[in-house]
């Protein structure tokens, strides 16, 4: 049982993920942690994977305290061997893998394309795009081998569909994530594995709260809804896409952005 992020209305979560294992990358905080919690409340055993190993362990302990079956693993999505090990960890600890949420990512500096630091560009691409590829590269064969189908959600961004001045690497990576998602979906739909992407708008985080008020208000003003999104709101969309309620949804890119991209 939980409440909606904005109204406090009580929701009874059915055990729609009971008996399933979910791997969530970048799950020590933010959207990743909110998603892990939502899946766990739906009955899934959850692997909290994050570059911040201590943060992942603390998040897993928190979820366990809420009655959720959870385990933590260190993960560097820029290293294929690390990704492979995290997927194997899920299999070793919980007996398999059914669901995955590829959420790990970084923002990078804000600099015009003609002045963008090459090393910074490569870091963003390695994390936000290559990391999603590596994740699916090792998740898909394990899900397929189990023979019971499954689902993957890749966390892109509103910037997977529009541009944003000063963020060439991030925008390029997130557009790439949408393309990877569609390609994998076409390849694996007949095998009972659905792959989709979500595109969050700007989401409320402690870091944003520390911004200059004018800059923060400027971000809010980009969203016709008149506010930033909440991690829990993104988690609800992800949970739907992973659930059997979305059984014919594959290869799609779903925005959760307070109408940011509508204007």
């Amino acid at each position: 049982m939980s409440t909606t992020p904005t109204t406090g209305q009580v929701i009874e979560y059915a055990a729609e993920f009971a008996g399933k294992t979910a791997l969530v990358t970048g799950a020590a905080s933010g959207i990743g942690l909110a998603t892990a919690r939502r899946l766990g409340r739906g009955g899934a055993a959850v692997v909290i994977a994050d570059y911040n190993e201590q943060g992942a362990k603390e998040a897993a302990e928190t979820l366990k305290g809420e009655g959720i079956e959870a385990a933590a693993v260190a993960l560097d999505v820029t290293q294929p061997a690390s990704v492979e090990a995290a997927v194997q960890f899920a299999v070793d600890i919980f007996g398999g893998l059914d669901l995955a949420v590829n959420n790990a990512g970084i923002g990078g500096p804000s600099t015009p394309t003609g002045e963008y630091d090459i090393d910074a560009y490569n870091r963003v691409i390695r994390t936000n795009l290559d990391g999603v590829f590596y994740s699916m590269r090792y998740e898909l064969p394990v899900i397929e081998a189990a023979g019971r189908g499954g689902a993957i959600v890749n966390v892109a961004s509103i910037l997977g569909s529009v541009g944003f001045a000063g963020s060439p690497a991030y925008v390029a990576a997130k557009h790439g994530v949408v393309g990877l998602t569609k390609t994998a979906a076409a390849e694996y739909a007949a095998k009972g594995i659905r792959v989709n992407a979500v595109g969050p708008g700007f989401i409320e985080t402690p870091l944003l709260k520390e911004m200059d008020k004018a800059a923060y208000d400027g971000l809010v003003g980009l969203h016709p809804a008149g506010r930033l999104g909440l991690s829990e709101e993104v988690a609800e969309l992800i949970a739907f896409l992973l659930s059997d309620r979305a059984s014919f949804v594959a290869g799609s890119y779903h925005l959760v952005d307070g109408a940011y991209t509508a204007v």
Side-chain angles (χ1 to χ4, degrees):
M1 184 171 69
S2 187
T3 59
T4 63
T6 55
T7 68
Q9 179 182 357
V10 174
I11 300 173
E12 292 285 351
Y13 289 131
E16 59 188 347
F17 302 118
K20 295 184 178 180
T21 297
L23 170 66
V24 184
T25 72
S29 62
I31 291 171
L33 179 55
T35 299
R37 175 175 282 115
R38 174 61 180 87
L39 298 178
R41 286 176 174 170
V46 183
V47 174
I48 308 292
D50 203 284
Y51 187 81
N52 178 359
E53 184 174 9
Q54 183 59 36
K57 289 178 179 178
E58 291 173 0
E61 289 304 313
T62 297
L63 294 188
K64 286 189 223 179
E66 298 172 8
I68 293 170
E69 193 173 4
V73 64
L75 172 65
D76 180 350
V77 295
T78 70
Q79 302 299 318
S82 179
V83 177
E84 183 178 23
V87 172
Q88 187 60 48
F89 176 86
V91 174
D92 293 342
I93 297 296
F94 293 126
L97 184 65
D98 305 281
L99 311 170
V101 181
N102 298 317
N103 165 72
I106 59 173
S110 179
T111 312
T113 302
E115 303 168 22
Y116 208 87
D117 180 76
I118 299 292
D119 289 339
Y121 178 88
N122 288 333
R123 281 195 301 274
V124 172
I125 294 296
R126 281 199 305 268
T127 303
N128 294 4
L129 180 57
D130 296 350
V132 171
F133 167 71
Y134 296 148
S135 295
M136 288 200 294
R137 169 63 181 81
Y138 292 107
E139 293 159 354
L140 284 163
V142 172
I143 295 173
E144 181 182 2
R148 53 181 180 259
I152 293 174
V153 171
N154 296 320
V155 178
S157 165
I158 48 174
L159 304 186
S161 58
V162 297
F164 195 82
S167 298
Y170 190 88
V171 170
K174 294 303 185 178
H175 274 69
V177 167
V178 174
L180 275 175
T181 298
K182 292 178 179 294
T183 298
E187 294 165 340
Y188 286 86
K191 300 175 182 180
I193 303 172
R194 297 180 299 101
V195 186
N196 291 288
V198 297
F202 286 90
I203 302 301
E204 197 75 69
T205 65
L207 183 61
L208 288 183
K209 281 295 189 184
E210 295 174 4
M211 288 178 65
D212 173 81
K213 185 178 185 304
Y216 178 85
D217 290 346
L219 280 183
V220 171
L222 296 174
H223 301 74
R227 65 177 177 87
L228 303 186
L230 302 178
S231 295
E232 290 79 7
E233 292 173 310
V234 182
E236 284 296 330
L237 177 57
I238 292 172
F240 168 73
L241 292 171
L242 291 174
S243 76
D244 290 340
R245 291 173 290 145
S247 56
F248 200 57
V249 181
S252 299
Y253 166 52
H254 301 267
L255 296 164
V256 50
D257 69 352
Y260 179 107
T261 55
V263 295

